[in-house]
Structure formats: structure tokens, C-alpha cells
Amino acid sequence: VQLVESGGGSALAGGSVRLSCAASGHDLGRNCVAWFRQKPGQEREAVALINKEGVEIYGTSVRERATISRDNAKNTVYLQMSSLALEDTAMYYCAISYRNPCYATSLLPRTDFIIWGQGTQVTVS
């Protein structure tokens, strides 16, 4: 099983970015898939999660600025973020929860996630 994030890079404050998390070797539609981010010297923070039924959950730091979605045909999960702020600068990771099926209705702890991508850097200036 492999997760590959893409879509990061440099963005202007107030702009938007769309991150992709493509999976191979596993059907993303069965589990919860989450986006985390990590800033230098800080813990990895859960940003958004989508469960098996497509229910979307967001962390307070990105609520109303982020949209998580899943394309089952492409086996890909996306994170669209708008109104970017300097504080959104971080390495963004997607991850799959061990729960199968997963019907979470709140953000899950980092320990729930057993498969991680390599991350994609978002730098807002």
C-alpha cells in the first residue's frame, strides 16, 4: 500500500491550494483518510478527515477554509484550502486509519493511522 501526496508548493497569502493523495494497493473508500500537517518543531496536527460514508470532519484551524473530498474512481483524496495564511505553512501528509470500515464522526488520533504518505510541503508567503 502506498500513498503519494502532491499539489504542494508556494502559495500567496489569501490564495488557495489543492492537495492530492493518490493510493495504490488499497481501496481508500473503505477507511477513514485524513490530512495532517506538521510545522517545524511542532506535533503533527489533524486537519481534516473523510470517512467511509463521505462524512467530512475538520480541525478548528482550517474549518470553513478547507474541503476534503474523495474520488473513488481515481482512488484519490483531495484537500482544497482557501484563504491561505502564513500559519498554513507546513508539511502536509495524508494517512489511512486502521479502522475498516471506518465511520468516524470526529477527528481520530494520530495513533489510528497506520499508512502515511511522504508529505507535500505548502509554503505560504
Side-chain angles (χ1 to χ4, degrees):
V1 181
Q2 187 177 18
L3 299 178
V4 178
E5 300 99 332
S6 61
S10 298
L12 295 177
S16 61
V17 66
R18 187 192 194 208
L19 307 180
S20 300
C21 172
S24 58
H26 186 80
D27 179 3
L28 287 182
R30 300 176 59 83
N31 300 76
C32 288
V33 180
W35 283 95
F36 288 76
R37 68 184 182 186
Q38 188 166 23
K39 304 174 186 180
Q42 297 188 24
E43 294 289 319
R44 201 165 290 191
E45 169 196 20
V47 172
L49 178 149
I50 187 165
N51 76 6
K52 173 180 166 57
E53 296 180 314
V55 174
E56 304 163 27
I57 302 126
Y58 298 97
T60 55
S61 62
V62 301
R63 195 164 292 159
E64 297 183 9
R65 298 191 299 120
T67 301
I68 187 170
S69 60
R70 183 176 59 224
D71 185 330
N72 290 331
K74 295 182 178 180
N75 209 26
T76 300
V77 170
Y78 303 95
L79 180 69
Q80 174 87 31
M81 289 186 59
S82 59
S83 301
L84 289 170
L86 300 180
E87 305 78 66
D88 293 317
T89 294
M91 183 71 80
Y92 285 74
Y93 300 89
C94 64
I96 298 174
S97 167
Y98 74 87
R99 300 169 192 251
N100 185 2
C102 182
Y103 298 102
T105 55
S106 62
L107 292 177
L108 299 173
R110 180 179 172 181
T111 51
D112 252 60
F113 295 88
I114 57 173
I115 301 170
W116 294 81
Q118 82 290 348
T120 185
Q121 176 70 36
V122 174
T123 303
V124 183
S125 61

